[in-house]
Amino acid sequence: MNGKPAVLLLSGLLFACAPVPPPQPAATPAPAPAPAPAPAPAPVDHFVSIQGARCAELLALQPDDRQEASMFYVGYSARRYGTRAINVGLIQSIIRVALDYCTAEPNRTVASAFAEAYTEMRW
């Protein structure tokens, strides 16, 4: 009866003494893409006169900034005329006409260019 436990013990010791296979080399990770540069922070306390801004200033903006400013002036014009609804399909036309006015007269105020474009295109 002592033979069975001895065989089991001996086989267990043989497995414990078996050489351990070398570890598989880890796959080298792909280099991480370089992070995009952080956008420049918006200027703090940079005030712009809504009614005094000139078309030349608007035209000098980057296209995205010009589009955002134009959307503001469309809303500003709508509010000045007491409009409670706007035909969204006409917004780009209003912006295009106002920017044409600004291109023709860079010293004109942005508010007046958008007011004229708004009254011309709103219906």
Side-chain angles (χ1 to χ4, degrees):
M1 292 274 210
N2 286 338
K4 283 187 180 181
V7 171
L8 290 175
L9 182 61
L10 185 58
S11 64
L13 288 174
L14 288 175
F15 281 117
C17 292
V20 178
Q24 294 292 331
T28 56
V44 179
D45 295 335
H46 180 185
F47 294 93
V48 176
S49 171
I50 294 171
Q51 291 183 345
R54 301 285 170 191
C55 285
E57 297 171 66
L58 177 70
L59 296 173
L61 295 174
Q62 294 295 320
D64 288 345
D65 295 336
R66 187 179 319 120
Q67 182 69 21
E68 289 180 16
S70 297
M71 289 296 294
F72 168 80
Y73 276 103
V74 169
Y76 177 76
S77 298
R79 183 63 191 129
R80 283 183 62 197
Y81 289 105
T83 306
R84 294 185 179 257
I86 189 168
N87 182 347
V88 176
L90 291 178
I91 291 175
Q92 289 306 314
S93 297
I94 294 169
I95 291 172
R96 197 173 314 111
V97 169
L99 291 178
D100 287 346
Y101 290 150
C102 280
T103 302
E105 298 179 62
N107 201 35
R108 182 181 188 162
T109 63
V110 178
S112 70
F114 275 87
E116 187 173 341
Y118 182 81
T119 56
E120 181 180 321
M121 300 298 296
R122 69 179 170 171
W123 308 114

